[in-house]
Amino acid sequence: MHHRTIRGKILYTSRKPDRLGQERGRESFIITVHTDGKRTLRAHCEIDDPPTVLRDVVLSLDADNYPLDCFVRLTIDDRFEGSGWMRFSETHAETESFNVNDGRISQRLDLEQRTRWLASHPIAGDAMAFSIFDLSNGPGKTFFPDMMVTSPDHRGATGPLLFKLGFGIEYLGDETITVPAGTFDAHHLRYVDTAGQLPEEHPVYDVWCSADGDFIFLRGEVGGYMQTFYELVELET
């Protein structure tokens, strides 16, 4: 085999005072890195908080970390919710999907510029997205107007479909952190500037990812009404 494989598991816990440290979900993921620089993320995500969510995602990126295609399947409260396939070119984004609320959906969106990232809602993908940020200039913030998500719901529990938005990424610097999976050199970044684009404003989201060029998710914290915490608990490379 010429490709590299990265496997891991992320634990979801609550930071709310009445549920502090309580497990509320988990995620297993596999990242394949090919010799030509392309990557594929496969993620299985479980959220125990009602309504419960099961999400399976396969997201592929080109060598410059632009999305190529993605498959999402959703199960809500142990019942099928929807599934969809997305494809991206330099001029178009398209999807074919089906969900219980809207039936069959076909989208073909004209693009003025390529979609820079597709947020398909795995936590592992929240770290991989930082590959589009230019870290060479040091701490600072960049707004990316040409993004999409597979669901505007914060838990990714609707759709799937293509929803346009922009958001900012803020780089706060590097540090060494320890999580259950080990001790790592890490980049600390933050998601910001989503105001007015989603049905409900997303709280600021801090993420620490590996500084080895693979952008492996290590730790995440969301404040506001969510008060959630995420940690890498297993890693195999």
Side-chain angles (χ1 to χ4, degrees):
M1 293 292 182
H2 297 291
H3 61 267
R4 290 192 296 119
T5 302
I6 302 165
R7 295 180 175 88
K9 181 178 178 180
I10 299 166
L11 185 67
Y12 307 174
T13 57
S14 178
R15 282 292 178 89
K16 295 180 179 179
D18 60 331
R19 301 181 59 197
L20 189 61
Q22 180 179 328
E23 183 173 347
R24 52 176 296 275
R26 64 217 56 86
E27 174 177 317
S28 57
F29 66 87
I30 300 173
I31 301 170
T32 303
V33 184
H34 297 282
T35 53
D36 61 0
K38 294 186 177 70
R39 294 173 182 251
T40 295
L41 167 67
R42 301 166 183 86
H44 177 71
C45 316
E46 303 175 83
I47 302 175
D48 300 335
D49 297 342
T52 61
V53 179
L54 283 176
R55 183 190 312 104
D56 292 288
V57 175
V58 181
L59 169 67
S60 291
L61 311 170
D62 72 9
D64 295 314
N65 299 300
Y66 284 88
L68 293 170
D69 54 62
C70 183
F71 173 78
V72 180
R73 193 178 198 279
L74 290 172
T75 302
I76 307 299
D77 272 345
D78 208 32
R79 298 184 182 214
F80 171 76
E81 175 71 17
S83 63
W85 172 80
M86 297 87 178
R87 177 181 176 273
F88 300 86
S89 71
E90 293 190 3
T91 58
H92 294 89
E94 57 186 335
T95 185
E96 294 292 333
S97 65
F98 178 89
N99 67 58
V100 296
N101 292 319
D102 303 308
R104 180 67 180 266
I105 300 171
S106 297
Q107 294 174 287
R108 182 175 171 85
L109 307 176
D110 295 331
L111 303 176
E112 295 182 2
Q113 54 188 342
R114 290 181 70 183
T115 300
R116 194 62 191 94
W117 186 260
L118 175 68
S120 48
H121 290 282
I123 298 299
D126 294 343
M128 292 177 69
F130 294 145
S131 60
I132 72 175
F133 188 93
D134 185 359
L135 297 165
S136 64
N137 293 324
K141 184 169 66 172
T142 301
F143 185 80
F144 295 88
D146 49 346
M147 310 288 214
M148 291 193 189
V149 295
T150 59
S151 168
D153 178 75
H154 294 172
R155 306 194 320 156
T158 62
L161 48 74
L162 291 175
F163 185 90
K164 289 185 176 181
L165 84 165
F167 54 78
I169 296 176
E170 183 178 7
Y171 174 39
L172 291 97
D174 291 350
E175 53 193 276
T176 300
I177 67 168
T178 298
V179 295
T183 298
F184 301 86
D185 293 330
H187 301 309
H188 180 190
L189 298 102
R190 176 182 293 159
Y191 286 98
V192 294
D193 298 336
T194 62
Q197 300 182 75
L198 295 168
E200 185 173 11
E201 175 64 12
H202 197 291
V204 172
Y205 180 15
D206 282 85
V207 174
W208 289 258
C209 67
S210 66
D212 57 2
D214 283 325
F215 297 90
I216 299 168
F217 184 94
L218 302 174
R219 177 188 293 161
E221 301 176 0
V222 184
Y225 82 94
M226 296 177 71
Q227 296 184 54
T228 53
F229 185 72
Y230 309 91
E231 273 193 310
L232 183 70
V233 295
E234 296 178 13
L235 181 66
E236 176 188 344
T237 60

